[in-house]
Every structure is written in structure tokens, then in C-alpha cells.
Amino acid sequence: MTRQHHLGRVAVVTGAGSGIGRAVARLMLAEGYRVVLAGRREAQLLETAAGHAQALAVPCDVTVADDVQRLFAAALQRWERVDVLFNNAGVFGPAASVDEISLADWDATVAVNLTGSMLCAAAAFRAMKAQSPQGGRIINNGSIAAHSPRPRTVAYTVTKHAMTGLTKSIELDGRGFGISCGQIDIGNAATELMEEIGVGSGAMQADGSRRAEPTFPVDDAARAVLLMAGMPASASVGSVVITAAGMPFIGRG
């Protein structure tokens, strides 16, 4: 896909202030997209934007419906359409099994990872349905936790399994409007989140041991998102799994 193909297309990237969201936003800007950067911390969004003329930073808490409405209103006011949503904002949540997690921690994780993703997808869907030409593409950031959990990650794992249901429902309901939806499940991209759970120094394994796991550059994960975003409207990319080579995901360890 050439850079020329992307010129003028409008993408909304949530969680754009760090990690995968930052890498995706910067790559999209470099490839000619007009990018709306969403996140809770304006300073980090501006750092991601780095003064790029085609970047619009909009502080947004995806758990707040009015914030999400303002985010997409800003995108439409500036560029009059939304071609791509990268639904990326998320939190890992507490390290806890089902009998340990507090209701407050459960609700907080679900609010960001699932309800926030639904609110953003709904706003994007409405914009894509109403615009002319109609249609667009929603890319949900899942996780390999959508396939197989780590120990003591009940809230995170459940939300990422639920993301798969959200993805398939959007894909089905969007068919008549030229709206497609796919999910990218990323394993061990080198981000702050991976440092938080100790992947480099020793992540918890199913047998209770800790093991340092391989990671891969976050820019390579961003290139996979760009591939999904840039596919022609005639193709729907339902699922992409990309992991660090050799990480303990396939098989029994």
C-alpha cells in the first residue's frame, strides 16, 4: 500500500499518548493520514503529535460518554469524516484472581477496556454511517489474552474476550453501511505495559514460575495495524495475531 493511498484519510486513535497507540498514530501521520489523537493526558498527546500539521490532539476519557461525543465531534468539525478508528485505549487492571479482585477494580477495568471501546465504536459507527461516501473501518485492539490468559488477570482477560464479541457484532451490523471491523491481538510488543507486568525481567507463568519473555519492537505492531487500516473496502480483515517470536503462547509453555 502506497503512502499516496492514505493521503487525506482520517483516523481516530485512542490511547495515543503512549505505547501502541503512540506508535500507530505516528506511523499513520508519516503515511499521510490525518490523525485525531485521543487520550486522558494532553501533554502526552502533544508529544505524540510533535507539531505535525495533520495531527489533532483531543483530551478524552473513553469511559465518559460526553468526552467520546466531543472527540468525534472534533474530528468531524476539523475534517468532516472518519475513515478509521483504532480502538486502543486500555488498562491491564489489577493482578488478581476472581476471588481476590474488588468490585471497584473490576468495574474500573471493564469501564476502560470494554465500555470505553463500545462508546468509541458507537460514535465511529454513527459517523461512518452518516458520511458520504459512506463507510469506514474499525480496528479493535484485543490481546493474546483474548485467546489465552496469564495467571491472575481475570478482569483484563474477560474484557479482551468480550472485545472479540464486540468486534464480530460490529462487523455484522456494519455490513449494510460499508463499515468493517477487525481485531488485532498483540503479544509482547515492547511497551510500558510489558514492563509493568515484568515481561523482560520475569512474567508469571501458568505453573507459578516467572520467566523472562521475548518482546518485539512496538513499531512492528504499528505496521500490522497500518496494514489492516489500509486494506481496500472490498476486504475485511477479521483477525490478526502478532506476537514476539518464541514467546510462551503457542503450545504448553
Side-chain angles (χ1 to χ4, degrees):
M1 199 69 66
T2 65
R3 183 179 186 275
Q4 188 66 35
H5 171 81
H6 306 308
L7 286 175
R9 299 184 76 212
V10 179
V12 176
V13 178
T14 66
S18 63
I20 293 167
R22 169 171 283 179
V24 168
R26 285 178 170 171
L27 181 59
M28 283 183 152
L29 287 167
E31 289 292 320
Y33 281 87
R34 297 179 284 187
V35 182
V36 183
L37 306 119
R40 289 176 297 171
R41 294 162 290 192
E42 185 175 24
Q44 290 189 251
L45 297 178
L46 294 174
E47 187 179 338
T48 299
H52 199 292
Q54 299 297 334
L56 174 64
V58 181
C60 174
D61 181 340
V62 298
T63 70
V64 178
D66 286 348
D67 272 22
V68 173
Q69 185 175 349
R70 282 194 293 270
L71 168 66
F72 282 86
L76 294 172
Q77 182 177 9
R78 178 74 171 268
W79 287 311
E80 299 184 340
R81 63 181 294 111
V82 174
D83 297 293
V84 178
L85 165 65
F86 181 42
N87 218 354
N88 167 70
V91 295
F92 197 69
S97 59
V98 71
D99 62 313
E100 297 168 338
I101 191 169
S102 70
L103 180 57
D105 283 345
W106 170 271
D107 286 345
T109 308
V110 171
V112 177
N113 293 1
L114 184 56
T115 305
S117 295
M118 180 279 292
L119 289 170
C120 290
F125 196 108
R126 284 190 286 268
M128 293 170 179
K129 190 175 175 180
Q131 65 198 13
S132 181
Q134 192 178 59
R137 189 177 301 274
I138 296 170
I139 302 169
N140 290 328
N141 191 3
S143 166
I144 61 165
H147 304 264
S148 183
R150 291 184 182 276
R152 304 183 72 238
T153 60
V154 62
Y156 182 78
T157 297
V158 169
T159 59
K160 294 306 184 178
H161 274 71
M163 187 73 91
T164 302
L166 179 65
T167 299
K168 291 179 178 180
S169 291
I170 294 167
E171 167 66 22
L172 182 59
D173 295 338
R175 282 181 180 175
F177 309 103
I179 300 168
S180 65
C181 187
Q183 180 168 322
I184 184 164
D185 296 322
I186 300 169
N188 285 14
T191 64
E192 298 93 330
L193 179 63
M194 291 299 99
E195 295 175 14
E196 181 182 324
I197 64 173
V199 164
S201 58
M204 181 69 73
Q205 305 298 308
D207 64 2
S209 66
R210 289 191 174 273
R211 183 188 310 174
E213 297 179 6
T215 61
F216 72 107
V218 69
D219 288 346
D220 292 335
R223 289 195 295 116
V225 175
L226 186 75
L227 174 67
M228 295 175 74
M231 292 295 286
S234 57
S236 178
V237 183
S239 177
V240 170
V241 178
I242 179 169
T243 73
M247 71 171 292
F249 168 57
I250 301 299
R252 295 180 180 266

